[in-house]
Amino acid sequence: MKHGRLQNLFSRSMTHRKVHFTSCDPVKHTIRRVREVVEAALDAGTDGFLLGGSTGVDRAMVERYGRTIRECLDERFPGDPERPPLLLFPSSAATGLADAADGILFLSLLNSNDVRYLIREQSGAAPYLPAIGLAPIGCGMIMFEPGGTAGRIGHADLLRPDDWQTALGYAAAAAAFGFDTVYLNAGSGSPQPIPAATIRPIAEIIRKPLLVGGGLKDADQVREAVAAGADVIVTGTVVENNPRVGESLAAIVRIVHEQPPRYPAGLPDV
Ligand code: 1GP
């Protein structure tokens, strides 16, 4: 998938239509189940997939799950350059690079105490991205309590859910560095999502696509997050635990798509 197309998908989430991404964690699904999840998420209208996983995931697993998701996408959208993309959402260079994906959410865990998750892993992987054909979407990720496995593995200095001031500092630094996106993440399976009161002041300042995820389980929580300024909503667990995945996800995706974008008249000149 063309790099520009992916960058457009994210930048247009601020000016045209907010988007929803479904995150898939290989350790939480069998291969058969991942097909069901992908099909149900596509039926619900999801705009793309993140293939991640921070524990017990090796390169072979990422490759295998990536190929399975890619097969679903190619069967559903044969030859369609505008189809929902599959992005890697890696916990490390060692496990994250698989050529079945269209691109990679190229993360720096901004509030990590470990230089490996700030820049060192990334410097090991970046030279190989063009050869593998992975379009990088630069992403400054900020982890909040409880942080989940990603927060623990990434040695994050977790922010309190109400600490929007510190988060704003990291987000503004990411924007100043020229990252494509900023991700406010409470960690997969978090009992509570990041509060709207934390998202709002960051969305008022940061003119980069704002991803929000971790603990978003129902339509009301998602409505609060997009109304507060989230441009991209990421959900994972809500599909993992729900046999009738389609119904709950369709309601969530509908709310994301119905919410007007932050800058309907285009990004203001600064
Ligand atoms: C994890 O934000 C994603 O990075 C998804 O979180 O599994 O809690 O939806 P959930």
Side-chain angles (χ1 to χ4, degrees), residues 11-25:
S11 57
R12 286 167 62 88
S13 73
M14 293 193 292
T15 54
H16 290 73
R17 188 175 85 152
K18 293 182 188 275
V19 299
H20 173 271
F21 267 72
T22 299
S23 74
C24 293
D25 186 341

Side-chain angles (χ1 to χ4, degrees), residues 23 28 89 183 185 187-190 213-216 234-238:
S23 74
K28 294 182 182 175
F89 178 42
Y183 189 169
N185 192 348
S188 182
S190 171
L216 289 165
V234 182
T235 63
T237 304
V238 69

